[in-house]
Amino acid sequence: MTITIPLNTDCINSLDLSPVVTEIEKLLQEGAMLQQGAAQSAIASYEQQLHFDIDYALEPGDPRELSEIPEVRLWFIRLDTRYPWLPFLLDWKTGEFARYAAMLVPHQFSTKEGIQYNPEALEIFLMHKLFALNDWLQQQGIPSKSRLQSMAQLLGYELDDALFEMF
């Protein structure tokens, strides 16, 4: 079941996270109402189900992508600060994780090669997400290694098993 969260210009410009907070708090409360084992499966059942429907007004002829608009990026930075484990919920198959990364990692667009991330910034972002998600997934009792490896692969990285032995 996909969870679609609509975001509009006013919400983004005012840094209003309430549309996301409302949905995530419902999910977390649902998990808390169940017994411990069932709570873990309730959270896991929403893995890769979250999609943002962004309606941000641009001036006619403005060629920028959403990830090039400072106000949109700032909103996502605020969201990531509140829920650093959010990539677990994002719908990776429809590109939500890639779009999320673009909101948080400096990049440029190339007509020939598409999005080009700053390599060091992308590595820092990936390691931050690996550590945050690993800790959160362990707290939820959800196996993390294969999920984190898949997430890294979406960004073009192969993770060695030895990395997971370190944390």
Side-chain angles (χ1 to χ4, degrees):
M1 177 175 112
T2 299
I3 301 169
T4 300
I5 299 177
L7 303 175
N8 61 32
T9 302
D10 291 337
C11 174
I12 290 169
N13 287 343
S14 65
L15 296 175
D16 178 11
L17 296 180
S18 64
V20 179
V21 170
T22 300
E23 289 298 324
I24 290 179
E25 292 306 316
K26 279 195 298 190
L27 165 69
L28 295 174
Q29 286 176 3
E30 176 184 323
M33 290 188 319
L34 300 172
Q35 293 179 342
Q36 182 63 23
Q40 294 163 357
S41 62
I43 292 168
S45 70
Y46 290 101
E47 181 176 10
Q48 297 186 30
Q49 297 298 311
L50 188 66
H51 173 78
F52 292 108
D53 181 15
I54 303 173
D55 180 20
Y56 191 82
L58 295 173
E59 294 292 322
D62 188 337
R64 295 179 295 173
E65 297 286 333
L66 289 171
S67 64
E68 296 177 290
I69 300 168
E71 294 83 0
V72 177
R73 291 185 73 152
L74 186 62
W75 187 90
F76 275 91
I77 290 168
R78 183 161 193 247
L79 177 65
D80 188 64
T81 301
R82 176 98 183 240
Y83 301 110
W85 47 266
L86 190 68
F88 176 79
L89 298 177
L90 296 175
D91 186 352
W92 297 2
K93 292 180 241 33
T94 62
E96 282 298 313
F97 178 67
R99 179 167 66 172
Y100 191 78
M103 296 295 181
L104 300 171
V105 179
H107 62 278
Q108 295 178 348
F109 284 100
S110 164
T111 54
K112 294 180 183 175
E113 298 179 29
I115 192 168
Q116 299 294 304
Y117 293 104
N118 173 298
E120 288 97 12
L122 185 60
E123 287 178 20
I124 291 169
F125 170 78
L126 176 60
M127 295 311 297
H128 176 263
K129 290 296 132 198
L130 289 175
F131 293 139
L133 279 166
N134 184 66
D135 291 348
W136 185 80
L137 289 168
Q138 285 182 356
Q139 289 172 359
Q140 306 307 314
I142 300 170
S144 62
K145 184 179 173 185
S146 64
R147 287 171 170 88
L148 298 177
Q149 288 174 319
S150 296
M151 184 184 74
Q153 286 175 343
L154 288 173
L155 298 175
Y157 291 87
E158 294 291 328
L159 300 179
D160 189 73
D161 289 342
L163 175 66
F164 294 96
E165 294 169 9
M166 295 173 65
F167 60 93

